[in-house]
Amino acid sequence: NDLDGALDAFKRAHEAAPNESQPIVAIVRTYMRAGKTNEAIAFIDTVLKDNPANTEAQLIKGQILLGAGNTQGAQQVFSNVITANPKTPAAYQQLALAQQRENKPAEAEKTIQNGLTAIPKDFGLMLTQAGLYESANRMEDAIKVYEELLKERSNVEIVNNNLASLLLDY
């Protein structure tokens, strides 16, 4: 509960290892828990000023913007990450989430499909795709994706649970 003390400690850790994501995430979480979104963004901007190629920091900035309701800004950040690093699955997932929040399911599906073209068979992208299909009430498509995921990783609980639930409901 000592916001200033925690921030000081996390900032020292960040200064000692400026490219490590854990101190960056800790600082941002501390600001966000305190309701200080502007300070979190300002901090991430300083991280990106020092290292503009820090993909993790870019993704964090997009998540902050998305959480603050700035879906347009978040989408721009995630799109920039995809352009610079097209093999970053989290950027596609986060962009699709932002598009879905704006009630643009077709754009979200296209984003995930583009991700799967760049990174075929990526587990997270496929799981997101199945979720998008479920949201769009495309149950047969979702079932196919879950079954394909099970072929690759039969022991993943979330896939088993989601498929079982979908089959029971559908």
Side-chain angles (χ1 to χ4, degrees), residues 44-80:
I44 282 293
D45 284 341
T46 62
V47 170
L48 290 169
K49 182 181 176 197
D50 293 340
N51 183 0
N54 186 329
T55 302
E56 185 72 27
Q58 292 170 6
L59 291 171
I60 292 168
K61 181 175 182 174
Q63 291 167 349
I64 295 168
L65 293 171
L66 189 60
N70 183 351
T71 54
Q72 295 288 324
Q75 287 182 54
Q76 186 60 55
V77 170
F78 298 134
S79 294
N80 291 345

PDB file of all heavy atoms in Angstrom, residues 44-80:
ATOM      1  N   ILE A  44       5.750   4.988 -19.736  1.00  0.00           N
ATOM      2  CA  ILE A  44       5.980   4.147 -20.923  1.00  0.00           C
ATOM      3  C   ILE A  44       6.580   4.973 -22.049  1.00  0.00           C
ATOM      4  O   ILE A  44       7.450   4.500 -22.786  1.00  0.00           O
ATOM      5  CB  ILE A  44       4.670   3.451 -21.362  1.00  0.00           C
ATOM      6  CG1 ILE A  44       4.389   2.257 -20.464  1.00  0.00           C
ATOM      7  CG2 ILE A  44       4.720   2.998 -22.806  1.00  0.00           C
ATOM      8  CD1 ILE A  44       5.381   1.121 -20.592  1.00  0.00           C
ATOM      9  N   ASP A  45       6.134   6.209 -22.181  1.00  0.00           N
ATOM     10  CA  ASP A  45       6.704   7.074 -23.222  1.00  0.00           C
ATOM     11  C   ASP A  45       8.193   7.318 -22.989  1.00  0.00           C
ATOM     12  O   ASP A  45       8.970   7.373 -23.951  1.00  0.00           O
ATOM     13  CB  ASP A  45       5.935   8.397 -23.307  1.00  0.00           C
ATOM     14  CG  ASP A  45       4.588   8.249 -24.002  1.00  0.00           C
ATOM     15  OD1 ASP A  45       4.379   7.239 -24.729  1.00  0.00           O
ATOM     16  OD2 ASP A  45       3.728   9.138 -23.820  1.00  0.00           O
ATOM     17  N   THR A  46       8.616   7.439 -21.725  1.00  0.00           N
ATOM     18  CA  THR A  46      10.054   7.615 -21.467  1.00  0.00           C
ATOM     19  C   THR A  46      10.818   6.337 -21.792  1.00  0.00           C
ATOM     20  O   THR A  46      11.932   6.395 -22.310  1.00  0.00           O
ATOM     21  CB  THR A  46      10.344   8.032 -20.011  1.00  0.00           C
ATOM     22  OG1 THR A  46       9.912   7.007 -19.123  1.00  0.00           O
ATOM     23  CG2 THR A  46       9.679   9.349 -19.666  1.00  0.00           C
ATOM     24  N   VAL A  47      10.204   5.180 -21.496  1.00  0.00           N
ATOM     25  CA  VAL A  47      10.844   3.902 -21.847  1.00  0.00           C
ATOM     26  C   VAL A  47      11.014   3.808 -23.353  1.00  0.00           C
ATOM     27  O   VAL A  47      12.078   3.432 -23.858  1.00  0.00           O
ATOM     28  CB  VAL A  47      10.012   2.703 -21.316  1.00  0.00           C
ATOM     29  CG1 VAL A  47      10.531   1.382 -21.867  1.00  0.00           C
ATOM     30  CG2 VAL A  47      10.008   2.684 -19.788  1.00  0.00           C
ATOM     31  N   LEU A  48       9.973   4.192 -24.089  1.00  0.00           N
ATOM     32  CA  LEU A  48      10.021   4.114 -25.547  1.00  0.00           C
ATOM     33  C   LEU A  48      10.943   5.179 -26.146  1.00  0.00           C
ATOM     34  O   LEU A  48      11.518   4.960 -27.212  1.00  0.00           O
ATOM     35  CB  LEU A  48       8.612   4.215 -26.141  1.00  0.00           C
ATOM     36  CG  LEU A  48       7.742   2.987 -25.881  1.00  0.00           C
ATOM     37  CD1 LEU A  48       6.285   3.262 -26.264  1.00  0.00           C
ATOM     38  CD2 LEU A  48       8.285   1.789 -26.637  1.00  0.00           C
ATOM     39  N   LYS A  49      11.075   6.308 -25.468  1.00  0.00           N
ATOM     40  CA  LYS A  49      12.012   7.338 -25.944  1.00  0.00           C
ATOM     41  C   LYS A  49      13.435   6.794 -25.885  1.00  0.00           C
ATOM     42  O   LYS A  49      14.223   6.993 -26.804  1.00  0.00           O
ATOM     43  CB  LYS A  49      11.886   8.598 -25.102  1.00  0.00           C
ATOM     44  CG  LYS A  49      12.782   9.720 -25.558  1.00  0.00           C
ATOM     45  CD  LYS A  49      12.627  10.935 -24.677  1.00  0.00           C
ATOM     46  CE  LYS A  49      13.618  12.005 -25.109  1.00  0.00           C
ATOM     47  NZ  LYS A  49      13.810  13.018 -24.090  1.00  0.00           N
ATOM     48  N   ASP A  50      13.740   6.067 -24.790  1.00  0.00           N
ATOM     49  CA  ASP A  50      15.076   5.494 -24.629  1.00  0.00           C
ATOM     50  C   ASP A  50      15.304   4.298 -25.548  1.00  0.00           C
ATOM     51  O   ASP A  50      16.430   4.034 -25.959  1.00  0.00           O
ATOM     52  CB  ASP A  50      15.300   5.071 -23.179  1.00  0.00           C
ATOM     53  CG  ASP A  50      15.355   6.247 -22.228  1.00  0.00           C
ATOM     54  OD1 ASP A  50      15.601   7.379 -22.690  1.00  0.00           O
ATOM     55  OD2 ASP A  50      15.134   6.029 -21.017  1.00  0.00           O
ATOM     56  N   ASN A  51      14.232   3.560 -25.840  1.00  0.00           N
ATOM     57  CA  ASN A  51      14.354   2.366 -26.682  1.00  0.00           C
ATOM     58  C   ASN A  51      13.073   2.210 -27.513  1.00  0.00           C
ATOM     59  O   ASN A  51      12.175   1.461 -27.139  1.00  0.00           O
ATOM     60  CB  ASN A  51      14.600   1.122 -25.825  1.00  0.00           C
ATOM     61  CG  ASN A  51      14.809  -0.120 -26.657  1.00  0.00           C
ATOM     62  OD1 ASN A  51      14.772  -0.082 -27.884  1.00  0.00           O
ATOM     63  ND2 ASN A  51      15.013  -1.239 -25.997  1.00  0.00           N
ATOM     64  N   PRO A  52      12.989   2.918 -28.639  1.00  0.00           N
ATOM     65  CA  PRO A  52      11.774   2.879 -29.457  1.00  0.00           C
ATOM     66  C   PRO A  52      11.430   1.489 -29.990  1.00  0.00           C
ATOM     67  O   PRO A  52      10.284   1.230 -30.343  1.00  0.00           O
ATOM     68  CB  PRO A  52      12.078   3.837 -30.620  1.00  0.00           C
ATOM     69  CG  PRO A  52      13.271   4.611 -30.214  1.00  0.00           C
ATOM     70  CD  PRO A  52      14.003   3.809 -29.186  1.00  0.00           C
ATOM     71  N   ALA A  53      12.393   0.605 -30.034  1.00  0.00           N
ATOM     72  CA  ALA A  53      12.157  -0.746 -30.567  1.00  0.00           C
ATOM     73  C   ALA A  53      11.689  -1.727 -29.491  1.00  0.00           C
ATOM     74  O   ALA A  53      11.563  -2.917 -29.776  1.00  0.00           O
ATOM     75  CB  ALA A  53      13.430  -1.258 -31.236  1.00  0.00           C
ATOM     76  N   ASN A  54      11.421  -1.261 -28.294  1.00  0.00           N
ATOM     77  CA  ASN A  54      11.000  -2.139 -27.206  1.00  0.00           C
ATOM     78  C   ASN A  54       9.544  -2.562 -27.452  1.00  0.00           C
ATOM     79  O   ASN A  54       8.600  -1.861 -27.096  1.00  0.00           O
ATOM     80  CB  ASN A  54      11.147  -1.437 -25.855  1.00  0.00           C
ATOM     81  CG  ASN A  54      10.865  -2.339 -24.690  1.00  0.00           C
ATOM     82  OD1 ASN A  54      10.060  -3.258 -24.768  1.00  0.00           O
ATOM     83  ND2 ASN A  54      11.522  -2.056 -23.571  1.00  0.00           N
ATOM     84  N   THR A  55       9.395  -3.730 -28.053  1.00  0.00           N
ATOM     85  CA  THR A  55       8.066  -4.228 -28.427  1.00  0.00           C
ATOM     86  C   THR A  55       7.184  -4.428 -27.211  1.00  0.00           C
ATOM     87  O   THR A  55       5.999  -4.098 -27.238  1.00  0.00           O
ATOM     88  CB  THR A  55       8.205  -5.546 -29.218  1.00  0.00           C
ATOM     89  OG1 THR A  55       9.006  -5.306 -30.372  1.00  0.00           O
ATOM     90  CG2 THR A  55       6.861  -6.081 -29.645  1.00  0.00           C
ATOM     91  N   GLU A  56       7.751  -4.960 -26.149  1.00  0.00           N
ATOM     92  CA  GLU A  56       6.970  -5.191 -24.925  1.00  0.00           C
ATOM     93  C   GLU A  56       6.391  -3.877 -24.403  1.00  0.00           C
ATOM     94  O   GLU A  56       5.228  -3.800 -24.021  1.00  0.00           O
ATOM     95  CB  GLU A  56       7.837  -5.869 -23.867  1.00  0.00           C
ATOM     96  CG  GLU A  56       7.098  -6.254 -22.623  1.00  0.00           C
ATOM     97  CD  GLU A  56       6.151  -7.430 -22.810  1.00  0.00           C
ATOM     98  OE1 GLU A  56       6.380  -8.264 -23.695  1.00  0.00           O
ATOM     99  OE2 GLU A  56       5.173  -7.502 -22.056  1.00  0.00           O
ATOM    100  N   ALA A  57       7.208  -2.824 -24.381  1.00  0.00           N
ATOM    101  CA  ALA A  57       6.740  -1.521 -23.903  1.00  0.00           C
ATOM    102  C   ALA A  57       5.659  -0.957 -24.831  1.00  0.00           C
ATOM    103  O   ALA A  57       4.696  -0.346 -24.369  1.00  0.00           O
ATOM    104  CB  ALA A  57       7.905  -0.547 -23.778  1.00  0.00           C
ATOM    105  N   GLN A  58       5.818  -1.179 -26.126  1.00  0.00           N
ATOM    106  CA  GLN A  58       4.794  -0.725 -27.070  1.00  0.00           C
ATOM    107  C   GLN A  58       3.462  -1.425 -26.803  1.00  0.00           C
ATOM    108  O   GLN A  58       2.402  -0.790 -26.797  1.00  0.00           O
ATOM    109  CB  GLN A  58       5.242  -0.977 -28.505  1.00  0.00           C
ATOM    110  CG  GLN A  58       6.405  -0.124 -28.937  1.00  0.00           C
ATOM    111  CD  GLN A  58       6.970  -0.568 -30.286  1.00  0.00           C
ATOM    112  OE1 GLN A  58       6.445  -1.432 -30.953  1.00  0.00           O
ATOM    113  NE2 GLN A  58       8.071   0.056 -30.673  1.00  0.00           N
ATOM    114  N   LEU A  59       3.526  -2.742 -26.581  1.00  0.00           N
ATOM    115  CA  LEU A  59       2.306  -3.495 -26.283  1.00  0.00           C
ATOM    116  C   LEU A  59       1.670  -3.013 -24.977  1.00  0.00           C
ATOM    117  O   LEU A  59       0.441  -2.888 -24.891  1.00  0.00           O
ATOM    118  CB  LEU A  59       2.606  -4.993 -26.208  1.00  0.00           C
ATOM    119  CG  LEU A  59       2.978  -5.668 -27.529  1.00  0.00           C
ATOM    120  CD1 LEU A  59       3.462  -7.089 -27.280  1.00  0.00           C
ATOM    121  CD2 LEU A  59       1.798  -5.653 -28.492  1.00  0.00           C
ATOM    122  N   ILE A  60       2.488  -2.743 -23.982  1.00  0.00           N
ATOM    123  CA  ILE A  60       1.975  -2.240 -22.710  1.00  0.00           C
ATOM    124  C   ILE A  60       1.283  -0.895 -22.917  1.00  0.00           C
ATOM    125  O   ILE A  60       0.201  -0.653 -22.374  1.00  0.00           O
ATOM    126  CB  ILE A  60       3.100  -2.143 -21.657  1.00  0.00           C
ATOM    127  CG1 ILE A  60       3.582  -3.542 -21.267  1.00  0.00           C
ATOM    128  CG2 ILE A  60       2.638  -1.364 -20.425  1.00  0.00           C
ATOM    129  CD1 ILE A  60       4.868  -3.552 -20.454  1.00  0.00           C
ATOM    130  N   LYS A  61       1.880  -0.038 -23.720  1.00  0.00           N
ATOM    131  CA  LYS A  61       1.254   1.265 -23.980  1.00  0.00           C
ATOM    132  C   LYS A  61      -0.113   1.063 -24.642  1.00  0.00           C
ATOM    133  O   LYS A  61      -1.093   1.709 -24.262  1.00  0.00           O
ATOM    134  CB  LYS A  61       2.144   2.132 -24.865  1.00  0.00           C
ATOM    135  CG  LYS A  61       1.526   3.498 -25.130  1.00  0.00           C
ATOM    136  CD  LYS A  61       2.422   4.426 -25.904  1.00  0.00           C
ATOM    137  CE  LYS A  61       1.732   5.770 -26.072  1.00  0.00           C
ATOM    138  NZ  LYS A  61       2.610   6.761 -26.706  1.00  0.00           N
ATOM    139  N   GLY A  62      -0.179   0.172 -25.604  1.00  0.00           N
ATOM    140  CA  GLY A  62      -1.455  -0.098 -26.247  1.00  0.00           C
ATOM    141  C   GLY A  62      -2.492  -0.610 -25.266  1.00  0.00           C
ATOM    142  O   GLY A  62      -3.665  -0.214 -25.303  1.00  0.00           O
ATOM    143  N   GLN A  63      -2.057  -1.467 -24.343  1.00  0.00           N
ATOM    144  CA  GLN A  63      -2.981  -2.002 -23.334  1.00  0.00           C
ATOM    145  C   GLN A  63      -3.452  -0.914 -22.376  1.00  0.00           C
ATOM    146  O   GLN A  63      -4.618  -0.898 -21.976  1.00  0.00           O
ATOM    147  CB  GLN A  63      -2.311  -3.145 -22.577  1.00  0.00           C
ATOM    148  CG  GLN A  63      -2.107  -4.365 -23.436  1.00  0.00           C
ATOM    149  CD  GLN A  63      -1.179  -5.392 -22.811  1.00  0.00           C
ATOM    150  OE1 GLN A  63      -0.507  -5.119 -21.813  1.00  0.00           O
ATOM    151  NE2 GLN A  63      -1.141  -6.588 -23.380  1.00  0.00           N
ATOM    152  N   ILE A  64      -2.554  -0.005 -22.026  1.00  0.00           N
ATOM    153  CA  ILE A  64      -2.955   1.119 -21.162  1.00  0.00           C
ATOM    154  C   ILE A  64      -4.008   1.958 -21.878  1.00  0.00           C
ATOM    155  O   ILE A  64      -5.044   2.307 -21.297  1.00  0.00           O
ATOM    156  CB  ILE A  64      -1.742   2.004 -20.788  1.00  0.00           C
ATOM    157  CG1 ILE A  64      -0.739   1.249 -19.929  1.00  0.00           C
ATOM    158  CG2 ILE A  64      -2.207   3.276 -20.067  1.00  0.00           C
ATOM    159  CD1 ILE A  64       0.593   1.972 -19.765  1.00  0.00           C
ATOM    160  N   LEU A  65      -3.740   2.285 -23.129  1.00  0.00           N
ATOM    161  CA  LEU A  65      -4.685   3.097 -23.898  1.00  0.00           C
ATOM    162  C   LEU A  65      -6.032   2.383 -24.028  1.00  0.00           C
ATOM    163  O   LEU A  65      -7.091   3.004 -23.868  1.00  0.00           O
ATOM    164  CB  LEU A  65      -4.113   3.419 -25.282  1.00  0.00           C
ATOM    165  CG  LEU A  65      -2.884   4.334 -25.280  1.00  0.00           C
ATOM    166  CD1 LEU A  65      -2.268   4.400 -26.684  1.00  0.00           C
ATOM    167  CD2 LEU A  65      -3.255   5.727 -24.792  1.00  0.00           C
ATOM    168  N   LEU A  66      -5.987   1.098 -24.297  1.00  0.00           N
ATOM    169  CA  LEU A  66      -7.218   0.320 -24.430  1.00  0.00           C
ATOM    170  C   LEU A  66      -7.988   0.317 -23.117  1.00  0.00           C
ATOM    171  O   LEU A  66      -9.198   0.537 -23.092  1.00  0.00           O
ATOM    172  CB  LEU A  66      -6.899  -1.100 -24.885  1.00  0.00           C
ATOM    173  CG  LEU A  66      -8.075  -1.986 -25.266  1.00  0.00           C
ATOM    174  CD1 LEU A  66      -8.871  -1.377 -26.414  1.00  0.00           C
ATOM    175  CD2 LEU A  66      -7.568  -3.377 -25.668  1.00  0.00           C
ATOM    176  N   GLY A  67      -7.282   0.102 -22.020  1.00  0.00           N
ATOM    177  CA  GLY A  67      -7.921   0.103 -20.706  1.00  0.00           C
ATOM    178  C   GLY A  67      -8.499   1.460 -20.336  1.00  0.00           C
ATOM    179  O   GLY A  67      -9.483   1.541 -19.601  1.00  0.00           O
ATOM    180  N   ALA A  68      -7.902   2.523 -20.857  1.00  0.00           N
ATOM    181  CA  ALA A  68      -8.380   3.880 -20.581  1.00  0.00           C
ATOM    182  C   ALA A  68      -9.504   4.294 -21.530  1.00  0.00           C
ATOM    183  O   ALA A  68     -10.004   5.411 -21.448  1.00  0.00           O
ATOM    184  CB  ALA A  68      -7.218   4.866 -20.676  1.00  0.00           C
ATOM    185  N   GLY A  69      -9.876   3.389 -22.446  1.00  0.00           N
ATOM    186  CA  GLY A  69     -10.967   3.691 -23.370  1.00  0.00           C
ATOM    187  C   GLY A  69     -10.543   4.354 -24.665  1.00  0.00           C
ATOM    188  O   GLY A  69     -11.389   4.721 -25.481  1.00  0.00           O
ATOM    189  N   ASN A  70      -9.249   4.504 -24.871  1.00  0.00           N
ATOM    190  CA  ASN A  70      -8.750   5.107 -26.112  1.00  0.00           C
ATOM    191  C   ASN A  70      -8.487   3.986 -27.132  1.00  0.00           C
ATOM    192  O   ASN A  70      -7.338   3.628 -27.397  1.00  0.00           O
ATOM    193  CB  ASN A  70      -7.479   5.915 -25.828  1.00  0.00           C
ATOM    194  CG  ASN A  70      -6.948   6.629 -27.054  1.00  0.00           C
ATOM    195  OD1 ASN A  70      -7.403   6.418 -28.171  1.00  0.00           O
ATOM    196  ND2 ASN A  70      -5.971   7.495 -26.834  1.00  0.00           N
ATOM    197  N   THR A  71      -9.563   3.445 -27.674  1.00  0.00           N
ATOM    198  CA  THR A  71      -9.415   2.311 -28.590  1.00  0.00           C
ATOM    199  C   THR A  71      -8.717   2.712 -29.881  1.00  0.00           C
ATOM    200  O   THR A  71      -7.968   1.912 -30.442  1.00  0.00           O
ATOM    201  CB  THR A  71     -10.767   1.646 -28.900  1.00  0.00           C
ATOM    202  OG1 THR A  71     -11.684   2.635 -29.367  1.00  0.00           O
ATOM    203  CG2 THR A  71     -11.342   0.963 -27.681  1.00  0.00           C
ATOM    204  N   GLN A  72      -8.939   3.918 -30.346  1.00  0.00           N
ATOM    205  CA  GLN A  72      -8.268   4.373 -31.569  1.00  0.00           C
ATOM    206  C   GLN A  72      -6.756   4.428 -31.368  1.00  0.00           C
ATOM    207  O   GLN A  72      -5.992   3.942 -32.196  1.00  0.00           O
ATOM    208  CB  GLN A  72      -8.790   5.764 -31.978  1.00  0.00           C
ATOM    209  CG  GLN A  72     -10.245   5.774 -32.379  1.00  0.00           C
ATOM    210  CD  GLN A  72     -10.480   5.125 -33.720  1.00  0.00           C
ATOM    211  OE1 GLN A  72      -9.672   5.239 -34.622  1.00  0.00           O
ATOM    212  NE2 GLN A  72     -11.587   4.419 -33.851  1.00  0.00           N
ATOM    213  N   GLY A  73      -6.335   5.024 -30.270  1.00  0.00           N
ATOM    214  CA  GLY A  73      -4.909   5.096 -29.975  1.00  0.00           C
ATOM    215  C   GLY A  73      -4.303   3.721 -29.787  1.00  0.00           C
ATOM    216  O   GLY A  73      -3.200   3.443 -30.271  1.00  0.00           O
ATOM    217  N   ALA A  74      -5.025   2.849 -29.093  1.00  0.00           N
ATOM    218  CA  ALA A  74      -4.551   1.484 -28.876  1.00  0.00           C
ATOM    219  C   ALA A  74      -4.389   0.754 -30.206  1.00  0.00           C
ATOM    220  O   ALA A  74      -3.378   0.086 -30.440  1.00  0.00           O
ATOM    221  CB  ALA A  74      -5.507   0.729 -27.957  1.00  0.00           C
ATOM    222  N   GLN A  75      -5.387   0.885 -31.068  1.00  0.00           N
ATOM    223  CA  GLN A  75      -5.314   0.216 -32.369  1.00  0.00           C
ATOM    224  C   GLN A  75      -4.109   0.703 -33.173  1.00  0.00           C
ATOM    225  O   GLN A  75      -3.439  -0.089 -33.833  1.00  0.00           O
ATOM    226  CB  GLN A  75      -6.600   0.455 -33.164  1.00  0.00           C
ATOM    227  CG  GLN A  75      -7.772  -0.331 -32.633  1.00  0.00           C
ATOM    228  CD  GLN A  75      -9.022  -0.116 -33.446  1.00  0.00           C
ATOM    229  OE1 GLN A  75      -9.018  -0.289 -34.657  1.00  0.00           O
ATOM    230  NE2 GLN A  75     -10.107   0.254 -32.779  1.00  0.00           N
ATOM    231  N   GLN A  76      -3.832   1.993 -33.086  1.00  0.00           N
ATOM    232  CA  GLN A  76      -2.680   2.534 -33.814  1.00  0.00           C
ATOM    233  C   GLN A  76      -1.380   1.939 -33.277  1.00  0.00           C
ATOM    234  O   GLN A  76      -0.506   1.539 -34.042  1.00  0.00           O
ATOM    235  CB  GLN A  76      -2.645   4.061 -33.712  1.00  0.00           C
ATOM    236  CG  GLN A  76      -1.559   4.691 -34.557  1.00  0.00           C
ATOM    237  CD  GLN A  76      -1.718   4.373 -36.034  1.00  0.00           C
ATOM    238  OE1 GLN A  76      -2.771   4.618 -36.616  1.00  0.00           O
ATOM    239  NE2 GLN A  76      -0.688   3.825 -36.655  1.00  0.00           N
ATOM    240  N   VAL A  77      -1.264   1.850 -31.957  1.00  0.00           N
ATOM    241  CA  VAL A  77      -0.059   1.277 -31.351  1.00  0.00           C
ATOM    242  C   VAL A  77       0.106  -0.176 -31.780  1.00  0.00           C
ATOM    243  O   VAL A  77       1.186  -0.589 -32.204  1.00  0.00           O
ATOM    244  CB  VAL A  77      -0.102   1.399 -29.805  1.00  0.00           C
ATOM    245  CG1 VAL A  77       1.009   0.587 -29.161  1.00  0.00           C
ATOM    246  CG2 VAL A  77      -0.010   2.859 -29.382  1.00  0.00           C
ATOM    247  N   PHE A  78      -0.974  -0.967 -31.677  1.00  0.00           N
ATOM    248  CA  PHE A  78      -0.885  -2.386 -32.038  1.00  0.00           C
ATOM    249  C   PHE A  78      -0.582  -2.556 -33.533  1.00  0.00           C
ATOM    250  O   PHE A  78       0.195  -3.430 -33.910  1.00  0.00           O
ATOM    251  CB  PHE A  78      -2.157  -3.135 -31.649  1.00  0.00           C
ATOM    252  CG  PHE A  78      -2.424  -3.137 -30.166  1.00  0.00           C
ATOM    253  CD1 PHE A  78      -3.688  -2.850 -29.675  1.00  0.00           C
ATOM    254  CD2 PHE A  78      -1.417  -3.411 -29.251  1.00  0.00           C
ATOM    255  CE1 PHE A  78      -3.940  -2.845 -28.306  1.00  0.00           C
ATOM    256  CE2 PHE A  78      -1.653  -3.409 -27.883  1.00  0.00           C
ATOM    257  CZ  PHE A  78      -2.920  -3.116 -27.414  1.00  0.00           C
ATOM    258  N   SER A  79      -1.172  -1.714 -34.350  1.00  0.00           N
ATOM    259  CA  SER A  79      -0.888  -1.775 -35.791  1.00  0.00           C
ATOM    260  C   SER A  79       0.579  -1.464 -36.072  1.00  0.00           C
ATOM    261  O   SER A  79       1.206  -2.101 -36.928  1.00  0.00           O
ATOM    262  CB  SER A  79      -1.784  -0.799 -36.565  1.00  0.00           C
ATOM    263  OG  SER A  79      -3.133  -1.198 -36.492  1.00  0.00           O
ATOM    264  N   ASN A  80       1.119  -0.485 -35.361  1.00  0.00           N
ATOM    265  CA  ASN A  80       2.533  -0.142 -35.523  1.00  0.00           C
ATOM    266  C   ASN A  80       3.430  -1.305 -35.125  1.00  0.00           C
ATOM    267  O   ASN A  80       4.444  -1.574 -35.777  1.00  0.00           O
ATOM    268  CB  ASN A  80       2.892   1.102 -34.705  1.00  0.00           C
ATOM    269  CG  ASN A  80       2.254   2.366 -35.253  1.00  0.00           C
ATOM    270  OD1 ASN A  80       1.762   2.402 -36.374  1.00  0.00           O
ATOM    271  ND2 ASN A  80       2.238   3.399 -34.435  1.00  0.00           N
TER     272      ASN A  80
END
